[in-house]
Amino acid sequence: MKIENIKPADIEKRSFEIISETLGDKKLDPRYELIIKRCIHTSADFEYADSMYFSDGVADRIKEAIRNGATIVTDTRMAQSGINKKRIEANGGEVLCFIGDEDVAAEAKSRGLTRSYVSMEKAAHLGKPVIFAIGNAPTALLSICSLVAEGKLDPVAVVGVPVGFVNVVESKEQLIDSGIPAIVARGRKGGSNIAAAIINAIQYQL
Amino acid sequence: MKIENIKPADIEKRSFEIISETLGDKKLDPRYELIIKRCIHTSADFEYADSMYFSDGVADRIKEAIRNGATIVTDTRMAQSGINKKRIEANGGEVLCFIGDEDVAAEAKSRGLTRSYVSMEKAAHLGKPVIFAIGNAPTALLSICSLVAEGKLDPVAVVGVPVGFVNVVESKEQLIDSGIPAIVARGRKGGSNIAAAIINAIQYQL
């Protein structure tokens, strides 16, 4: 097979052209088109053209929060690594992940919960506007929903795209039903790469 | 929908059971079954049951190298983050990624190449056994193939699972044709998460 000789800067542009060509006549909501296409770009999986849920106005809400220096909290180091930090930090924000913290591990063990669950409780104590980017743990979504229901957390929005087979679909539907501003990839698919892609797609529009 | 009350430690076990049930009568090569299932686990995408290529003996080769302290080099920080480091470091190895290095950025710019391409050249100067885990950049695979052809690199093996639309399929086929010991997800799909999952699946068998 022939390798196309394409300049580094043009590879992403050409990729998005191929995605648009492949989508053909399929209509995407123009408010979310760049987010959906970046999910496809990062996974080569066109199912994201059909599986994504956006609560009303959520993309503008996240954009505005990033502009005002909101903190982004992820459930995995992978999602944290995948989020482009330059623009977020330039606006006064930061990208945090508490999953590896010793206090989180100790508390999770003593209470018989996942570290993901407890790491969201830790985020609730930050005392500043938080956007959650959850690509792995359904228990992180359940933790966020409980904290909001108890009045202990009021997130800017939740990117809820865990991947997997146990409680994943259910946790995403619970997030949607909660009324928390959210972007969700319905079904089993998602991942830390998808969580990061969604945050990046939004901040690249700033 | 009901949330199942499953203990943290049992979530992965139950996930693999669901994967096995869903695969049904489909036969996977027993030498690679755990690797393929972990790719499905990390993506919820059953296409990996059909798309994966393994050169003869490659999994044992990687296992042996990790046991002997081989270095793992990734093309992205996400793949680096996703690889479980405890066991690798306990065996004397480490997980490196040069993509963000200033010297790599400067050289890539001056030569009109991707940083991924140049970061593989940097890895070729390590002077020790290297396993590559490439989940993003087709140019990283092309760089590795060139270095091997020029006698400048002799990797333990290459996990070649970039994702995307430009040169991705071609770069993977070139890797397979090169005869370098390799694990490849054929087609457009793959990713940093898949690269990390493959390395983890192998080291968990140690």
Side-chain angles (χ1 to χ4, degrees):
Chain A
M1 273 192 254
K2 212 184 135 283
I3 305 288
E4 287 185 77
N5 188 11
I6 295 189
K7 285 184 194 156
D10 292 335
I11 292 174
E12 182 166 305
K13 185 165 168 279
R14 180 73 192 115
S15 298
F16 276 84
E17 286 168 4
I18 295 171
I19 292 168
S20 297
E21 287 161 19
T22 308
L23 285 166
D25 290 337
K26 186 164 190 75
K27 284 271 170 289
L28 300 178
D29 187 326
R31 292 174 298 171
Y32 309 126
E33 187 178 340
L34 290 175
I35 301 172
I36 297 168
K37 284 186 175 171
R38 190 162 287 277
C39 290
I40 297 171
H41 177 257
T42 214
S43 64
D45 193 334
F46 283 85
E47 275 189 42
Y48 291 105
D50 294 306
S51 66
M52 293 191 69
Y53 164 87
F54 298 85
S55 68
D56 195 38
V58 65
D60 285 339
R61 193 177 161 90
I62 294 175
K63 214 183 294 177
E64 194 55 31
I66 291 175
R67 190 180 281 128
N68 292 321
T71 302
I72 295 171
V73 173
T74 70
D75 62 332
T76 64
R77 292 248 176 83
M78 277 193 86
Q80 186 186 27
S81 297
I83 294 171
N84 193 321
K85 294 169 196 70
K86 267 189 197 160
R87 220 165 306 200
I88 288 166
E89 290 172 358
N91 283 290
E94 54 187 336
V95 184
L96 303 176
C97 176
F98 302 120
I99 193 78
D101 293 6
E102 282 179 23
D103 55 340
V104 167
E107 192 169 333
K109 200 175 174 187
S110 76
R111 290 165 63 195
L113 296 166
T114 65
R115 289 184 298 147
S116 307
Y117 194 99
V118 176
S119 72
M120 296 298 117
E121 295 179 336
K122 184 162 180 176
H125 290 116
L126 282 172
K128 37 186 173 175
V130 172
I131 302 158
F132 288 93
I134 309 300
N136 183 59
T139 53
L141 292 189
L142 301 180
S143 180
I144 291 167
C145 289
S146 293
L147 290 162
V148 170
E150 294 164 12
K152 293 176 181 164
L153 177 66
D154 183 22
V156 172
V158 179
V159 173
V161 294
V163 58
F165 298 89
V166 176
N167 292 337
V168 165
V169 174
E170 296 82 350
S171 71
K172 293 180 194 174
E173 294 302 318
Q174 183 165 320
L175 174 63
I176 291 170
D177 294 343
S178 74
I180 299 167
I183 298 176
V184 174
R186 293 182 117 137
R188 286 173 166 172
K189 287 185 178 176
S192 298
N193 50 341
I194 298 294
I198 291 170
I199 297 292
N200 288 338
I202 294 173
Q203 63 161 317
Y204 293 161
Q205 295 172 56
L206 279 177
Chain B
M1 274 192 253
K2 209 184 138 282
I3 304 287
E4 287 185 78
N5 187 11
I6 294 189
K7 285 184 193 156
D10 292 335
I11 292 174
E12 182 166 304
K13 184 165 169 276
R14 180 75 193 113
S15 298
F16 276 84
E17 286 168 2
I18 295 171
I19 292 168
S20 298
E21 287 162 17
T22 309
L23 285 166
D25 290 336
K26 186 164 191 74
K27 283 272 168 289
L28 300 178
D29 186 326
R31 292 174 298 172
Y32 309 126
E33 187 178 340
L34 291 175
I35 301 172
I36 296 168
K37 284 185 175 171
R38 189 161 289 277
C39 289
I40 296 171
H41 176 258
T42 213
S43 64
D45 193 334
F46 283 84
E47 276 188 41
Y48 291 105
D50 295 307
S51 66
M52 293 192 68
Y53 163 87
F54 298 85
S55 68
D56 195 38
V58 65
D60 285 339
R61 194 178 160 91
I62 294 175
K63 214 184 291 176
E64 195 54 30
I66 292 175
R67 191 180 280 129
N68 291 321
T71 301
I72 296 171
V73 173
T74 70
D75 62 331
T76 63
R77 292 249 174 84
M78 278 193 86
Q80 186 186 27
S81 297
I83 294 172
N84 193 320
K85 295 173 195 65
K86 267 190 197 158
R87 219 165 306 200
I88 288 166
E89 289 172 358
N91 283 288
E94 53 186 338
V95 184
L96 304 176
C97 176
F98 303 121
I99 194 77
D101 292 7
E102 282 179 24
D103 56 340
V104 167
E107 192 170 333
K109 200 175 174 187
S110 75
R111 289 166 62 196
L113 295 166
T114 65
R115 289 184 298 146
S116 308
Y117 194 98
V118 176
S119 71
M120 296 298 118
E121 295 180 336
K122 185 162 179 176
H125 290 116
L126 283 172
K128 37 186 175 175
V130 172
I131 301 157
F132 289 93
I134 309 300
N136 182 59
T139 52
L141 292 190
L142 302 181
S143 180
I144 291 167
C145 288
S146 292
L147 289 162
V148 170
E150 293 164 11
K152 293 176 182 164
L153 178 65
D154 182 21
V156 172
V158 179
V159 173
V161 295
V163 59
F165 298 89
V166 175
N167 292 337
V168 166
V169 173
E170 297 82 351
S171 71
K172 293 180 193 172
E173 294 302 318
Q174 182 165 319
L175 174 62
I176 291 170
D177 293 343
S178 74
I180 299 167
I183 299 176
V184 174
R186 293 182 118 137
R188 285 173 167 173
K189 288 184 179 176
S192 297
N193 51 343
I194 298 293
I198 291 170
I199 297 291
N200 288 338
I202 295 173
Q203 63 161 317
Y204 293 161
Q205 295 172 56
L206 278 177

